[in-house]
Every structure is written in C-alpha cells, then in structure tokens.
Amino acid sequence: MPTYIVLLGPPGVGKGTQAKIIAEKTGLSHISSGDLFRENIKGGTELGKLAQTYINKGELVPDEVTIAMIRSRLSRPDCKGGALLDGFPRTPAQADALARILADFGGKVEHVPCITASMTTLVERLSGRWTCRAQGHIFHQVYSPPKKPSVCDVDGSELYQRDDDKAETVKRRIQVYVEQTAPLIAYYRQRGLLAEIDGERTVEEVTADLLAVLKHK
Ligand code: AP5
Ligand code: MG
C-alpha cells in the first residue's frame, strides 16, 4: 500500500528543507504545492498567472484549483509508492479532498508531523532564505550558507530571494496560517495522526525526530 505523509507547519519552519532530506532517505516523492505553483509561474501557464496574484499577497490560492493541481500530480507514476506532501493540505476542505483522492488511489494519510517554531524564528529564517532558481534547493545566509554567495551548491544555478519573503507578505502568510491552516492540527489530532515536532533545533535534530515518527531508520 502506498505511504502518504503530510508535513504541517507555518511558513519558514523548515518543511521544504526537511522534505528534501526525508524524500531522499525514504524514496518517497516530495510534493510541494508552493514549488508546483512557482514552476507554473516560471512557465507562464494560466494556473501560474492565477496563483501569482494570491501568492504575492500572501493569501491562499483557491481550494478548487489547488486540489485539482495536487490530484493531477499525485496521479503521476513517481507517486505510486506514496508521497511526502509539503504545504498541502492547508485548509480543512483541502484535507477532506486529500482523503478522497488518496482513497481513489487505495491509500490514506499515515502520519502528520507538524513542525513548530516561534514567530521570531520564522521571520529570521524567511528573511535569510536563499532559494535555487533551477530546482528550489534551500539555503540560509547564516544557518546553511552556500559555499559561494548566490550560487547553488547542488546544481550551480543562481540563488534568489522569494518575492513573498518580504516582511509585509511574511506577516500576512503567518496570519493566514494561524487562521486557515492551524485548524488542521486539531483535524489530524482527532484522527490520531498528528505528531508535534520542535523545530527550534538544528536541521539534523529535526530530521532525526521526523524519521522516528515515520519509523524509518
Ligand atoms: P509555500 O512555498 O508552501 O510556502 P510556506 O508554507 O509559506 O513555507 P515556506 O516554503 O516559506 O517555508 P518552509 O517551511 O518550506 O521552510 P524552508 O525549509 O524553506 O507556499 C507559498 C505560497 O503558495 C502560499 O503563501 C500560498 O499563496 C500558495 N500555496 C501553497 N500551497 C497552497 C495550498 N495548499 N493552498 C493554497 N495556497 C497554497 O526553510 C526556511 C529557511 O529556514 C531556509 O532558509 C532554511 O535554510 C532555514 N532553516 C530550515 N530549517 C532550519 C533549522 N532547523 N535551523 C536553522 N535554519 C533552518
Ligand atoms: Mg517550502
């Protein structure tokens, strides 16, 4: 049976950083809704144009288009063995839709680790983040600096600061998380799937906790 994992947590807590490591260690496909939107924006698709108007303001892209995008991504062959979902679901309607989608694929959500950190930490991590233009590899100017400034260690492409990492937009993204996504903590706790993970530690310590939750050595 495929293994589906939902990684929950506020903007900047380290979901993308951890998902890349865990995907490599477990062989699961890493599906980031934010990365999918950014690929569409880069490609100039209709979906990208629509998504950009919401992302730039720090608002959520409407459920209907987000759910359709994820359904289509999860139906690709590389998700046959399951997937690690990063940034989806973000509303109770998306969580209900995910349950229906996975049931169609003969699976269900198995674990929901939720990484937590203080507001100060989130802002500090987002304001120092540098993202790779080609494949979304993640760096931080203090905590995980690239070997050469502005160059991705992994693929040599240019590093950039995301438009939605501006102070004003970050504030709104965190507010949107509290209002619209945090209810998923209770949603998954009620279903016995939630595991809270302290994100105020090194990347390696957080990874170790995540692997313990997923029972993966
Ligand atoms: P998305 O791209 O998902 O952004 P997000 O949830 O705001 O999260 P981030 O990617 O900003 O942070 P992260 O938790 O991945 O942290 P990271 O690992 O990079 O979404 C963007 C937008 O798309 C949304 O605002 C919305 O508009 C739209 N969208 C996406 N999904 C949607 C959905 N389902 N429905 C509707 N709309 C949707 O780490 C951050 C920094 O911290 C990095 O610099 C990293 O190096 C550093 N760091 C990480 N861990 C540590 C550590 N342990 N110690 C020190 N530094 C660390
Ligand atoms: Mg991310």
Side-chain angles (χ1 to χ4, degrees):
M1 196 163 99
T3 307
Y4 297 101
I5 293 153
V6 167
L7 199 49
L8 262 188
V13 80
K15 300 183 298 296
T17 301
Q18 294 298 335
K20 284 181 193 300
I21 300 169
I22 302 290
E24 197 157 302
K25 287 191 188 287
T26 59
L28 289 171
S29 288
H30 170 203
I31 310 298
S32 155
S33 44
D35 285 352
L36 291 173
F37 286 132
R38 283 185 287 278
E39 280 163 27
N40 275 279
I41 292 170
K42 199 159 85 178
T45 68
E46 286 308 311
L47 173 61
K49 284 178 199 153
L50 175 82
Q52 189 159 33
T53 60
Y54 294 91
I55 293 176
N56 286 351
K57 290 185 284 190
E59 303 293 337
L60 295 185
V61 180
D63 281 343
E64 209 179 275
V65 282
T66 305
I67 291 165
M69 174 180 78
I70 292 291
R71 176 184 276 279
S72 135
R73 182 64 189 86
L74 285 174
S75 63
R76 300 226 313 245
D78 63 323
C79 294
K80 270 216 154 48
L84 178 54
L85 287 150
D86 154 15
F88 183 93
R90 255 172 154 99
T91 62
Q94 291 183 13
D96 288 342
L98 179 63
R100 289 193 297 270
I101 293 168
L102 299 187
D104 288 350
F105 296 152
K108 59 181 172 50
V109 175
E110 311 249 336
H111 302 283
V112 183
C114 178
I115 312 177
T116 58
S118 72
M119 180 78 102
T120 318
T121 299
L122 301 178
V123 171
E124 200 192 357
R125 287 185 183 173
L126 290 175
S127 59
R129 172 168 61 187
W130 289 86
T131 305
C132 141
R133 187 76 76 188
Q135 296 181 67
H137 298 113
I138 302 163
F139 298 86
H140 189 280
Q141 60 194 30
V142 178
Y143 304 116
S144 48
K147 292 193 185 86
K148 273 199 241 162
S150 306
V151 179
C152 176
D153 289 357
V154 188
D155 60 31
S157 75
E158 180 203 14
L159 300 180
Y160 75 106
Q161 289 194 287
R162 272 171 46 182
D163 283 344
D164 61 344
D165 284 347
K166 287 199 280 282
E168 270 313 288
T169 319
V170 162
K171 244 170 71 189
R172 180 62 192 148
R173 281 162 62 200
I174 294 173
Q175 201 179 3
V176 165
Y177 174 81
V178 170
E179 289 168 6
Q180 301 186 48
T181 306
L184 291 183
I185 295 172
Y187 179 105
Y188 284 118
R189 187 181 284 126
Q190 276 161 16
R191 288 161 177 76
L193 298 172
L194 192 85
E196 277 182 279
I197 295 193
D198 176 9
E200 297 272 356
R201 295 165 307 144
T202 63
V203 169
E204 294 72 22
E205 286 169 323
V206 176
T207 302
D209 273 13
L210 280 167
L211 290 173
V213 167
L214 310 183
K215 298 181 182 61
H216 192 281
K217 297 267 169 336

